[in-house]
Structures are given as structure tokens and as C-alpha cells.
Amino acid sequence: MTRERYHPIIYVRGFAMRDSEIEATINTPYMGFNLGATRVRQGPSGAFDSLIFESPVIRLMKDHGYRDVYAEGAEREDRLPRRTLLIHRYYEGEGGEGQRPSIPEAARALSERILWLRERICGDDEEAREAFKVYLVAHSMGGLVCRCLLQNPEAGSAEARACVDKVFTYGTPHDGIEMAGFNVPRFLGLWDISNFNRKSIAGYLKLSPRGGRVNRLGGHFPPERFFCLVGTNHRDYNATRHVVGARSDGLVKIDCAWVEDAPRVHLYLAHSGPFGMVNSEAGYLNLTRFLFGDARMQGQLVVDHLPLPPSLQQARDEGNDIEGSYHFECTVMPRLFPPVALSERRVEHDSAIFRRYDEMFHPERAGHDHARHPVLFSVYLDSTRITVTQGRTMMLTADIAVRSTEFKVGGRWFVSRRVPEENLFREKVVILATAAAGGWRLRYILGDEDWGEGRGRPVKEDARGHYVPLTSRKGFKARLYLRIDPWQ
């Protein structure tokens, strides 16, 4: 049986701190999800033009045929189409006045809205009611409202929870918010800031912290159907970036913005504002591929050899202890113009994957039961976006770099004859995935050596799977394993 691709979407907005922000929120029909952005791009002539992103709400309407619930200045009370887009207006009380509900209260209201939608879309059709599903799309605290519905049995009905098919969160503080290195205190009730204290989160999610963390679903919802977009641009979020600091989106720390075992991507985007994740093309592409796509591609790098600079190798040969760790960078882009990253992990964004040597080659010495080879990317694909000129082939580029941190020799920093931030490997790998009987046929092009429009070479295969061999003249050797699984 073919799975229905489109379900109603409910947007759940984030935290409004002051009363004036709540008032501004309820005075807009889409509560901020209608905000777009403009960028500047340079064309072949050298002229600069504006690149317009209309907003996620408008693009869902234009690209995928969604409609809102408004007509003649009010919410429609007649039958609604399956592709309905609803804004959960939990800050709005009766008569349009502002209110400040608790997280469980907002979650119970979300439960009621899900069943309200089912009634308007399915009516008395029992088969349609049985099959009814919704997608929840949430920004910031809205993700905690969604988790409260899913994880707290007292926050809404089991009937509504069973209707939730997928959840997509932008910059949600799944493990709380830290200011100046400390979790916001529980006693700070002003403007409900205590909502982001871990003990408070554990309370309204009915969750026992594990290792002091609360970023897990506790078995109440499949983590593979819960997506976390993690922002890494703290510089363009002026409200709190100075007290939150680097390794954040300006408000939420990178390490607090994901859910255990759930898919996540890192992107150089701020928590909100003109360079925010919600009003970005990159955020929208991840959203629509996760909700509507039909395949998921994962790339894992298994490192076979990490070379040392000659003088360090000599020191090692002479019996000195060498200490060093490594950063793995990867930016993944689909075949689009202008290019837009689906995933972006970079040292300069504080989001590169960090690995110690022992984690990969001697895991038992690092306290692990298996080698921790880095997963460079995990992105969703939509084969319906393949154009006639592309035939049956989807294309991604993975811009990969491997570099070492600084080294210590015999416990002392190694600085002589050392080039800072020297790459051990760098290559733009073009991945071609062609639909074939029984799966996908994979080919690759090394974009720094060959033209990207070529047919490419077939990937190699061993007992672990299909891979692209990667080497450098410095002696770096690795295998980029590619796996495509059906999605939906």
C-alpha cells in the first residue's frame, strides 16, 4: 500500500518573553512563520541581485499546494483539505487577548487542535479518521510543547498523540538553555524563563534525567521520525549571544539542540532574525525533504590511516608520546542554483566533528566498545525533484576536509615547523545516485580533479557496504561509506 505523502501541518511557535512580544505575536495571522529573508548573490556579469526567500508558509503553499485555515477574516468551520496548514496560537486567549500558558497547558491545547483538524478534514469517514496523521513543525520552545504532548500522558489525549506522524524542530533547547555556562535556574519564574531549566523540563515531560540530561524521548515516540535542526551562527543573534557564547545559535547551545538517537543537521544559521533558521532556504529544504522525501542518505568516514608531519613521525619513531586529535568537516549541497547547504559542519562554525585518535583506532583505550568513525552527514532526498534533464539521477556534493588539532610531543606543545590548521585531506566528492530496479546505483566524481558533469566512477564495495576511496598525497587513507535507505 502506498503511504500518503502529505498530511496537515501544525506550526508551533517559540518563546515570547515580554508581554509586548506576546501582543505582537497574537496580532499576526502566522505568528512569525510568514517571515522571509533576502540575500545578495553575484551573477556572471558581476552585478549583485537579491535572492528572495518568501517564507516557509508561503513556499509550502506555492510548492506543495498547502492552504491555511482562514477565510473571510476567521477560521473556516467547513471541511478542510488534507493539505491544510495551521498555526497553533497558544499565546492567544479568548477574545484575542494575550495569555501566558504553561508548557503542559499549551500541549493540551495542541492536542485539542489536532483532533479539531481531524474533525474538519475527515468528518464522519471512519476510514479517513483511522488513517489521519499530522506533521508538527516547531521553533525553539515550540519543540518542548510538542515533546510535552508526546511524552507527558497528562498533557493531551492518547488519541491525539497517535495522530502525530513526524516532528521537525528548529533550534529547540531540548536539553535546556545555558547562560554564561550555567543552566538557567529553576526559581527564575520571570517571563517563564524557568521553562528551560532541566529539572523543570524533566517535570513537565515526566522524564527522569539521565546523566543530568533531558534530551531524549523516553520511548514515547520513534526518534527516527523526530528531526532536529541545529543552528551554529551565534554572531547574528543579538539578543543573547554575548551571554550564551560560541558553539550556539545565539540562544541555544549546539549540544542542547538535539534529541538522542534522532536525525539532526548542523547549519550556519542563527536562532531567529534575518539570518535565522526558520526563514531560511536551507531550513526549508531540510523540512520538506524530511516531511515529503522518499530516501535518506548517510555518509560515514572510516579512516584507515592518519599521517603525521615528517618531523612528528620522526619524534614518534624515536619513542616519544604523540598527542593529537582531529576535526572532520563536511558541507553537503544538492544540485540547486544558487547552491544551498543541507548540512554544514565546519571548524570556523564550531560545529566540526571532533575525534581523538584512540576513539577511531584504539576504542578500548578511550572507554568505547567500538570504533567511533565519524558520520559526516545524514540527509533526506526527494526523487520527485529530479528533472527531465537529470533523468533518474540525483546529485549531491560533499565538501570534505580533515585536519588535525595542535599536537603535543612528550607532553609539550609542538610548534616548530608546524603549519596552523593544515589539512590532511580536502576534496569535493560528487555523489550520483541513479534510481534502478531494487535500489540505487551509486557513482562518484572527485570534483577537484574531474569535471562534475561526467558519468563518474562506480563506488567500490566490501563487507561493510558501498564506499568511495579517499586518499591524499600526504598519506591520508579513508573510505566514505554511502548508504541510501527508503524513507516515509
Side-chain angles (χ1 to χ4, degrees), residues 348-391:
E348 60 266 31
H349 301 164
D350 302 311
S351 61
I353 302 168
F354 176 84
R355 287 289 185 272
R356 295 180 176 87
Y357 183 87
D358 282 352
E359 288 182 282
M360 295 177 286
F361 293 96
H362 301 286
E364 69 286 349
R365 297 199 309 223
H368 302 295
D369 56 6
H370 64 277
R372 296 190 66 221
H373 297 295
V375 175
L376 298 185
F377 61 87
S378 183
V379 295
Y380 293 86
L381 309 173
D382 187 351
S383 64
T384 65
R385 299 177 67 89
I386 301 176
T387 66
V388 175
T389 58
Q390 295 162 1

Side-chain angles (χ1 to χ4, degrees), residues 112 168 410 419:
E112 294 170 2
F168 186 100
V419 176

Side-chain angles (χ1 to χ4, degrees), residues 217-275:
L217 297 173
H220 295 283
F221 191 78
E224 67 272 12
R225 304 188 76 78
F226 195 107
F227 189 101
C228 304
L229 195 154
V230 181
T232 63
N233 178 7
H234 73 282
R235 297 174 178 86
D236 287 306
Y237 189 72
N238 293 325
T240 56
R241 64 187 175 93
H242 294 295
V243 289
V244 175
R247 293 188 56 79
S248 76
D249 62 12
L251 179 62
V252 181
K253 286 287 189 181
I254 290 173
D255 200 38
C256 295
W258 51 272
V259 165
E260 189 176 283
D261 298 326
R264 66 182 187 264
V265 301
H266 296 69
L267 286 168
Y268 189 62
L269 297 168
H271 189 74
S272 64
F275 300 97

Side-chain angles (χ1 to χ4, degrees), residues 183-238:
N183 186 209
V184 293
R186 195 175 190 182
F187 62 78
L188 192 58
L190 180 66
W191 297 317
D192 294 335
I193 293 175
S194 58
N195 283 337
F196 310 113
N197 173 269
R198 292 189 185 97
K199 289 184 178 179
S200 297
I201 293 173
Y204 58 71
L205 295 185
K206 301 296 182 183
L207 180 72
S208 297
R210 187 163 63 195
R213 295 179 67 89
V214 292
N215 61 330
R216 58 191 176 89
L217 297 173
H220 295 283
F221 191 78
E224 67 272 12
R225 304 188 76 78
F226 195 107
F227 189 101
C228 304
L229 195 154
V230 181
T232 63
N233 178 7
H234 73 282
R235 297 174 178 86
D236 287 306
Y237 189 72
N238 293 325

Side-chain angles (χ1 to χ4, degrees), residues 292-368:
F292 314 134
D294 53 11
R296 181 184 182 187
M297 178 185 287
Q298 183 182 86
Q300 183 176 31
L301 194 68
V302 174
V303 180
D304 297 310
H305 182 62
L306 287 166
L308 291 172
S311 54
L312 274 173
Q313 184 62 52
Q314 180 180 345
R316 184 178 184 180
D317 293 341
E318 293 171 354
N320 291 283
D321 289 331
I322 307 296
E323 296 178 61
S325 299
Y326 299 86
H327 282 125
F328 297 86
E329 300 184 321
C330 184
T331 297
V332 177
M333 294 186 179
R335 178 162 39 194
L336 291 174
F337 181 79
V340 177
L342 289 179
S343 177
E344 190 172 18
R345 306 197 68 168
R346 293 290 172 194
V347 169
E348 60 266 31
H349 301 164
D350 302 311
S351 61
I353 302 168
F354 176 84
R355 287 289 185 272
R356 295 180 176 87
Y357 183 87
D358 282 352
E359 288 182 282
M360 295 177 286
F361 293 96
H362 301 286
E364 69 286 349
R365 297 199 309 223
H368 302 295

